[in-house]
Amino acid sequence: MPAMPALIEPRDDLTAAVQQIMLSSSDNDYIDQLIPVMKDARQTDRAAQLIQALNQVSSDREADIERICNTNSQDFISSVDQLQRVREGTLSLTSEVLRLAQAIQSSTEKLLEQKRALVESRSVRQSIDETSQALQDCLEVLKLANQVHDLLAQKNHYAALRALDELQNVHLRAVTRYKIAEMIEKSVPATQRLIAEAVMSDLNSWLFRIRETSQYVGEVAFYHTQMRRQRQKDRLEISEYAGNFKLNSAIELVADETEEFDVLNNDNEEVEIEVDFTPLFECMHIHNALGQSERFRAEYANTRRKQKDLLLPTHIDLTDEEDTDLTTLLESITGFAIIERSTMKKTESLRSAVDVDELWDSMCQSAINLISNALNTVNNDGKLLKIKSIIAMFIQTMDSWGYSITSLDALLLTLFGKYAELLKQRFSEDFSEIVSTDDYMPMPISNAEDYEKVVTVSWYSPDKRPEQIKFPTVFPFSQMYPLCCIDIRSLLNQIYLFSDDHFQNSDVIDDTLKNSLDELLCTKVCQSLVDRLSSQYPGQIVQILTNLGHFETACKELQELLVEARTSGAASGPVVLKATAEFETGKKTAEKRIFELVNSKIDDLVETAEYDWTAPSSSPNPQPSLYMQELTRYLSNIMSSVLLGLPTEIKELIYFDALSHAATSVLSLPLDPIVTKITPAAVQLLDVDVKHLSQFVDSLGNAILHENLDELRQTVELMGTENKEEFFDVGLRNRRYGRVDKVNGAVLLEKVTQGAEAVAVPESSPAKPSTQFSTFKDRLGIR
């Protein structure tokens, strides 16, 4: 039988499910196939469809059975029975399915309720978890925010800034949806300001410590310079070549580079110092991180300028024996400048060379003004030398750090000017006292030791070796000469002491020394000696002349010494002292004064001559006149005593001039207009005196001196000759009376003629006026 069409077209999925159930090989498979269908059967229409599908299957099965039965009834009956049983089972199963569907539906509703509750609980739990995480994140943010303040309180500014940066750029991003993020974000700038203020506070404390430490840094730097000086001296002792290079020269720096010494960080046994730049670096880094580098640079520069002003006092005292004010000032400036230079080298852009040099120039100018103003109170050259030594130490120290020292060199030039002036004033007083207190007597010496000392300090070359000299003895000069020589050498040494450490204007030293020596020797020695030539004591004049001669020699030696001692390598040529010419001129003045005194004495003695020009007769073997004996005795004594210490050439010159003057003075006696007549007896007396003088000159053994008496002797010989006509014969006159003046000869012949006539004429007879004088003049061609 053909199958009957189904009343309801079952859904494909249910049909497939029923077919699967029918094909199941076991109950378990049946249940497994039924469960999905039962889950969907919780809906009533769905269960009905399932039953309908089952009915459809059943109908199909029945149709198949009927068909099969029609073919095979027995089989059909069996099949019907089986089908009946199946149907019963199906009905039972259907009931069970319905019951199960209801149970499943009931369970499903409970399950849906539980699932709804679970979903709701999961949502609450998720909310709780999210809230917990949010709280955790917020707590983490708060913890980090508190940590920033804790680090700030611990003065760990850099760590605080890093924590704040991490908080702002990392942690706050995770909580941006919360209000706390906005609050913390708003507080970040304030916290940054707190960090900046805190680090600036620490930096100000560091700057204060640095300012307090500046003097000690300068003291350590001075110590280092002193050690370098000593090492340079040691090298000079080993090799003179090292003396060609000053401190801070390239050669000296290379030679000293093995001696490591960090002024700002060392643990030397004698000096220990450590300057930590960490607060500065931290402050720089923090301001750089905050984008405030320019502001920080400006504030730092302003702070350093203020500290520089606080470093400088309003005045200093240079008269203090310990030089405390000056040393403190220069050490403080040194430390300040060294820290500035080190800061510039250790940082890239904080301090520029212009800023550092500007502060240095300002400090230098202030120090120069303070020192210059205080110099007026210094009146001791030794004190000035100590001041110069401290300033030179300061200059050499700062030169090694690359600072300009031009203005300080100018200050040293000012110091040297005052130093030279004080030296000149002191030595001027010494020279004046030496000259005024000298006894102007040859300096006695009692032993070889003292003799050697005097020879050593004086420019004097004795004629004999010390072992040949018998003591006690005397020097030709007085004691003022070696004393002045000592002062001259002392002046040289003290002037050159100024250039020992550091002085660039060496040519100024050479010129100043030359000018000072010239002024002192010319005004205080030479002029003082010349002023004393007004004395009436020949011995004193002779000693002054001797001293002037030795001073002239000393000046010549001194000129050579000044050439050798030149500190300026650029200078060349000889050194000429004006004092040399002054002493030479003074010698001539002294010689003239001796001539004056000797000639004055001769004039005094000649004035005591008592010739009786009208004497009628002379006594047999007359003796020389008393004045002539005194004159020759004076000339003999003065040469053997007063003039003994003079050089031979000067003595001969004085003797020559004295004898010439004596001859002229004696000759002037008969030529006096008062004398009108000279008798032969008077001529004989004059001849005796002239012969005595001539014999005295002959005893001196110098033919040149004898020539001074030629005119006097020939004139006296003419006065006593019987043959006066020889004088009028040119040939005879030149041979016998060549030195006699024609006028004087004519005058004296007239006086002698009149004297002879007066003796021949009785006293009662009146004298006739003589005309011989005019005749003699006419015969000689004299008008």
Side-chain angles (χ1 to χ4, degrees):
M1 291 179 64
M4 293 179 66
L7 297 176
I8 299 175
E9 190 70 22
R11 293 182 58 178
D12 292 339
D13 55 341
L14 292 176
T15 304
V18 171
Q19 289 177 355
Q20 289 293 333
I21 292 172
M22 296 301 295
L23 293 175
S24 297
S25 58
S26 66
D27 293 340
N28 290 334
D29 290 338
Y30 164 76
I31 295 299
D32 290 337
Q33 296 296 327
L34 183 61
I35 287 174
V37 179
M38 292 173 66
K39 287 182 178 180
D40 292 334
R42 63 184 180 273
Q43 298 178 2
T44 306
D45 55 346
R46 190 70 170 168
Q49 291 176 3
L50 176 61
I51 294 172
Q52 184 179 358
L54 290 173
N55 289 332
Q56 181 66 37
V57 172
S58 177
S59 297
D60 290 341
R61 290 292 185 179
E62 289 178 354
D64 289 340
I65 292 169
E66 185 177 356
R67 180 177 52 78
I68 293 171
C69 285
N70 290 329
T71 304
N72 190 348
S73 59
Q74 188 63 38
D75 292 336
F76 178 73
I77 293 172
S78 298
S79 297
V80 170
D81 292 338
Q82 290 178 358
L83 183 59
Q84 186 64 36
R85 288 192 298 270
V86 170
R87 185 175 182 182
E88 290 176 356
T90 301
L91 292 174
S92 176
L93 183 59
T94 300
S95 299
E96 184 66 25
V97 169
L98 291 174
R99 186 184 58 79
L100 183 60
Q102 291 176 355
I104 289 173
Q105 184 175 1
S106 176
S107 298
T108 299
E109 290 175 356
K110 291 180 181 180
L111 183 60
L112 288 175
E113 290 296 330
Q114 291 177 355
K115 185 175 182 180
R116 189 179 296 109
L118 179 60
V119 170
E120 290 178 358
S121 65
R122 284 180 177 177
S123 176
V124 172
R125 183 175 180 179
Q126 183 177 0
S127 298
I128 293 173
D129 290 342
E130 290 176 355
T131 303
S132 177
Q133 184 62 41
L135 289 173
Q136 187 66 29
D137 293 341
C138 292
L139 288 174
E140 186 67 25
V141 169
L142 286 174
K143 179 181 178 181
L144 193 55
N146 290 331
Q147 185 181 4
V148 171
H149 290 276
D150 291 340
L151 291 172
L152 190 60
Q154 296 170 7
K155 297 186 178 299
N156 198 345
H157 307 112
Y158 179 63
L161 184 64
R162 289 190 61 184
L164 183 62
D165 182 68
E166 183 181 353
L167 173 65
Q168 184 179 14
N169 296 320
V170 178
H171 296 276
L172 282 183
R173 292 183 179 181
V175 294
T176 53
R177 61 185 180 277
Y178 306 118
K179 189 68 175 179
I180 190 171
E182 182 181 353
M183 296 173 60
I184 294 178
E185 184 69 31
K186 290 181 179 179
S187 69
V188 167
T191 306
Q192 289 177 339
R193 285 195 299 272
L194 287 176
I195 294 175
E197 291 173 359
V199 77
M200 280 302 297
S201 177
D202 283 358
L203 180 65
N204 290 333
S205 300
W206 179 78
L207 287 172
F208 176 77
R209 294 194 302 271
I210 287 296
R211 183 169 69 86
E212 295 296 316
T213 310
S214 293
Q215 182 185 349
Y216 186 57
V217 172
E219 183 180 346
V220 173
F222 281 11
Y223 167 81
H224 177 48
T225 302
Q226 185 61 41
M227 292 299 99
R228 291 174 58 205
R229 282 182 179 178
Q230 186 58 48
R231 288 193 291 270
Q232 182 69 0
K233 289 180 181 178
D234 295 341
R235 286 190 287 268
L236 180 59
E237 293 178 359
I238 298 174
S239 171
E240 294 183 359
Y241 179 73
N244 298 325
F245 307 101
K246 300 294 184 181
L247 208 68
N248 293 323
S249 64
I251 299 298
E252 187 274 333
L253 291 174
V254 170
D256 203 61
E257 65 181 0
T258 56
E259 301 291 337
E260 296 183 0
F261 188 92
D262 187 354
V263 173
L264 297 177
N265 190 2
N266 65 85
D267 54 355
N268 189 281
E269 294 181 357
E270 298 186 21
V271 291
E272 183 176 353
I273 187 172
E274 180 178 1
V275 178
D276 185 9
F277 284 86
T278 302
L280 176 61
F281 297 151
E282 184 181 30
C283 195
M284 284 181 59
H285 185 76
I286 288 175
H287 280 82
N288 185 47
L290 295 175
Q292 300 176 1
S293 297
E294 292 298 327
R295 175 187 172 190
F296 171 67
R297 187 181 297 111
E299 289 183 0
Y300 184 84
N302 185 49
T303 302
R304 291 300 278 171
R305 281 193 294 270
K306 291 179 180 179
Q307 286 192 325
K308 180 264 297 182
D309 295 335
L310 293 174
L311 196 70
L312 301 171
T314 56
H315 67 278
I316 59 174
D317 181 14
L318 294 181
T319 60
D320 180 20
E321 293 184 1
E322 301 298 329
D323 297 305
T324 303
D325 285 3
L326 178 62
T327 303
T328 300
L329 172 64
L330 298 185
E331 286 178 349
S332 299
I333 292 176
T334 299
F336 188 94
I338 288 175
I339 291 173
E340 281 292 288
R341 184 68 79 190
S342 298
T343 302
M344 187 186 74
K345 292 179 179 180
K346 291 177 181 294
T347 59
E348 294 183 357
S349 59
L350 177 62
R351 303 294 285 159
S352 66
V354 175
D355 294 335
V356 174
D357 290 339
E358 181 182 356
L359 280 181
W360 164 251
D361 292 339
S362 175
M363 289 189 294
C364 278
Q365 192 57 51
S366 298
I368 289 171
N369 292 337
L370 288 170
I371 295 172
S372 300
N373 293 335
L375 274 180
N376 297 326
T377 61
V378 181
N379 297 315
N380 181 275
D381 54 273
K383 185 65 175 178
L384 270 180
L385 200 59
K386 290 178 63 179
I387 293 173
K388 183 264 173 183
S389 178
I390 297 173
I391 296 176
M393 178 77 72
F394 173 61
I395 291 175
Q396 289 177 333
T397 301
M398 301 319 298
D399 188 26
S400 66
W401 283 87
Y403 283 103
S404 172
I405 57 174
T406 304
S407 58
L408 295 173
D409 283 337
L411 173 63
L412 286 186
L413 196 59
T414 303
L415 278 177
F416 177 72
K418 185 173 181 63
Y419 176 73
E421 190 63 32
L422 289 177
L423 278 181
K424 188 168 64 176
Q425 180 181 347
R426 177 162 66 86
F427 280 99
S428 175
E429 295 172 356
D430 289 348
F431 280 129
S432 297
E433 183 178 359
I434 290 171
V435 173
S436 62
T437 58
D438 191 52
D439 57 4
Y440 295 96
M441 296 290 291
M443 182 178 177
I445 207 76
S446 59
N447 54 67
E449 183 180 356
D450 293 341
Y451 183 87
E452 184 64 26
K453 289 179 181 179
V454 174
V455 171
T456 301
V457 300
S458 306
W459 284 280
Y460 173 65
S461 300
D463 298 331
K464 299 179 181 180
R465 294 193 300 271
E467 58 270 16
Q468 296 176 329
I469 299 175
K470 295 181 179 180
F471 296 97
T473 186
V474 294
F475 284 107
F477 44 76
S478 63
Q479 64 180 3
M480 69 163 291
Y481 176 67
L483 291 177
C484 287
C485 288
I486 292 174
D487 272 5
I488 291 172
R489 292 181 185 275
S490 178
L491 176 60
L492 260 68
N493 293 333
Q494 293 191 48
I495 284 286
Y496 284 123
L497 275 177
F498 202 89
S499 65
D500 278 355
D501 296 329
H502 174 86
F503 190 70
Q504 299 294 339
N505 306 93
S506 54
D507 55 333
V508 176
I509 288 184
D510 297 330
D511 294 341
T512 301
L513 178 58
K514 175 182 175 297
N515 295 335
S516 297
L517 284 173
D518 259 337
E519 183 175 350
L520 290 173
L521 292 174
C522 290
T523 60
K524 298 302 177 180
V525 179
C526 184
Q527 189 58 48
S528 298
L529 292 176
V530 171
D531 292 343
R532 288 182 173 273
L533 292 177
S534 59
S535 171
Q536 299 298 320
Y537 301 100
Q540 188 175 13
I541 305 302
V542 169
Q543 190 60 61
I544 291 175
L545 175 60
T546 302
N547 290 349
L548 288 169
H550 284 285
F551 275 115
E552 182 185 6
T553 302
C555 285
K556 293 177 181 178
E557 296 287 341
L558 192 56
Q559 289 175 166
E560 299 296 327
L561 181 61
L562 290 177
V563 172
E564 296 175 1
R566 274 176 178 159
T567 56
S568 174
S572 61
V575 174
V576 179
L577 291 173
K578 296 178 182 178
T580 307
E582 290 290 330
F583 281 116
E584 184 178 2
T585 303
K587 278 175 54 181
K588 294 178 181 179
T589 305
E591 291 172 3
K592 291 179 181 180
R593 181 58 181 162
I594 293 176
F595 295 156
E596 291 176 1
L597 290 177
V598 173
N599 293 341
S600 176
K601 181 64 175 179
I602 291 174
D603 290 340
D604 293 342
L605 292 174
V606 172
E607 286 179 2
T608 62
E610 296 179 352
Y611 287 108
D612 183 4
W613 300 110
T614 60
S617 61
S618 61
S619 59
N621 299 322
Q623 295 294 322
S625 301
L626 183 61
Y627 91 90
M628 184 57 69
Q629 294 179 24
E630 289 292 333
L631 177 61
T632 55
R633 188 180 300 112
Y634 170 74
L635 291 175
S636 177
N637 290 339
I638 196 173
M639 291 302 294
S640 61
S641 59
V642 178
L643 304 180
L644 183 63
L646 291 176
T648 303
E649 61 275 9
I650 296 180
K651 286 193 294 185
E652 291 179 351
L653 183 61
I654 293 175
Y655 233 163
F656 186 88
D657 185 79
L659 291 173
S660 177
H661 185 75
T664 303
S665 298
V666 172
L667 185 58
S668 67
L669 293 176
L671 287 173
D672 193 327
I674 298 177
V675 179
T676 57
K677 299 176 181 180
I678 302 176
T679 63
V683 173
Q684 186 178 4
L685 292 175
L686 180 60
D687 183 58
V688 171
D689 290 342
V690 171
K691 288 180 179 179
H692 178 75
L693 180 60
S694 181
Q695 290 173 359
F696 169 74
V697 174
D698 291 339
S699 67
L700 298 177
N702 192 333
I704 296 178
L705 296 177
H706 201 278
E707 295 177 0
N708 289 330
L709 302 180
D710 287 347
E711 182 181 6
L712 178 60
R713 287 188 298 100
Q714 290 179 13
T715 301
V716 173
E717 183 180 350
L718 174 63
M719 293 171 64
T721 185
E722 294 290 339
N723 188 3
K724 296 179 177 56
E725 295 298 326
E726 293 179 351
F727 185 70
F728 302 105
D729 186 314
V730 176
L732 293 175
R733 184 176 75 241
N734 290 339
R735 185 170 62 252
R736 295 191 60 183
Y737 310 111
R739 301 294 298 274
V740 178
D741 185 86
K742 291 189 294 181
V743 175
N744 292 340
V747 170
L748 291 175
L749 285 176
E750 170 63 20
K751 292 182 178 183
V752 169
T753 300
Q754 290 185 6
E757 292 175 353
V759 171
V761 177
E763 293 181 1
S764 59
S765 302
K768 297 180 180 180
S770 177
T771 60
Q772 292 295 324
F773 179 63
S774 60
T775 301
F776 293 151
K777 291 180 65 177
D778 292 340
R779 292 178 66 181
L780 290 172
I782 301 173
R783 295 184 180 182

